[in-house]
Amino acid sequence: MSGAEPAADGRLRCPWGLSTEDYLAYHDTEWGRPVHGDDHLFERLCLEAFQSGLSWLTILRRREGFRSAFAGFKISAVAEFTDADKERLLADAGIIRNRAKIDATLANAKVLAGWGEGELDALIWSYAPDPATRPAPRTLGDVPAVTPESTALAKELKKRSIRFVGPTTAYALMQACGLVDDHLADCVARGGGS
């Protein structure tokens, strides 16, 4: 499996981040950086669920469309969406028009609107593994798709009525939101640098 590779600027990066400018910017400035705040984590949770079965690039390129369609992912606003809003979303070409994923997003917002402020943040971050117990991956083959922590997080979210988040989606969320640093050992972005 592939280790870190040089980008056009000569600096080593995770190979997946080199295929397009969109990926490079996301890799260098967002992926693996800590994300906090219930609304911000709700957005990431939703986008990871929409990505299931698709390329992340598809989601990344439609992110502004998603933000517009879902009221900036403000939990309290999305929780108030009506059946008319659902029909609007199903007709919106700026997002992924998957009924099950849209239904899950709306249902999850309704559940989360009943939680206390900071509760989603605290819950998700409580599953962050101790970084000292995780060696930096040297190759893409060293990066897992699922971990015991992501399995436990997915199970807890499901227990709390959050839909469309299995262990693989939970781990992608953990990677994207900085609960784990899966930038390769030689990657310039490892540890938040770039």
Side-chain angles (χ1 to χ4, degrees):
M1 293 297 278
S2 195
E5 297 177 4
D9 64 5
R11 297 164 70 192
L12 295 176
R13 290 184 175 81
C14 303
W16 66 263
L18 302 178
S19 62
T20 70
E21 287 300 316
D22 295 329
Y23 267 157
L24 185 62
Y26 177 70
H27 170 275
D28 283 2
T29 64
E30 290 187 62
W31 193 75
R33 305 284 171 90
V35 174
H36 285 282
D38 291 346
D39 291 337
H40 294 298
L41 288 165
F42 175 62
E43 174 182 355
R44 298 297 183 93
L45 188 65
C46 294
L47 293 178
E48 292 295 346
F50 272 100
Q51 185 272 330
S52 182
L54 302 170
S55 159
W56 179 247
L57 190 58
T58 300
I59 303 303
L60 197 56
R61 289 183 172 164
R62 294 182 185 201
R63 185 163 51 172
E64 289 309 315
F66 275 106
R67 286 176 174 161
S68 176
F70 286 99
F73 290 100
K74 185 166 177 54
I75 294 168
S76 61
V78 178
E80 297 296 323
F81 278 20
T82 64
D83 286 343
D85 289 306
K86 181 162 60 168
E87 293 308 312
R88 172 185 55 81
L89 293 167
L90 288 167
D92 189 337
I95 66 169
I96 304 302
R97 296 173 289 184
N98 178 295
R99 183 177 298 275
K101 293 175 183 182
I102 290 169
D103 286 346
T105 299
L106 302 184
N108 290 345
K110 288 181 186 346
V111 169
L112 293 171
W115 291 20
E117 185 165 335
E119 191 173 346
L120 178 62
D121 189 304
L123 174 70
I124 289 174
W125 277 90
S126 73
Y127 287 88
D130 178 356
T133 65
R134 299 191 68 209
R138 303 226 42 95
T139 70
L140 293 178
D142 297 334
V143 178
V146 173
T147 63
E149 295 88 358
S150 74
T151 300
L153 174 57
K155 184 176 179 180
E156 183 62 25
L157 289 169
K158 182 177 181 179
K159 183 173 124 182
R160 293 178 180 228
S161 301
I162 301 299
R163 296 167 35 189
F164 231 99
V165 184
T168 302
T169 298
Y171 193 67
L173 175 76
M174 294 171 79
Q175 291 174 303
C177 295
L179 280 76
V180 296
D181 185 354
D182 275 345
H183 284 285
L184 300 183
D186 295 329
C187 178
V188 69
R190 175 105 188 137
S194 66

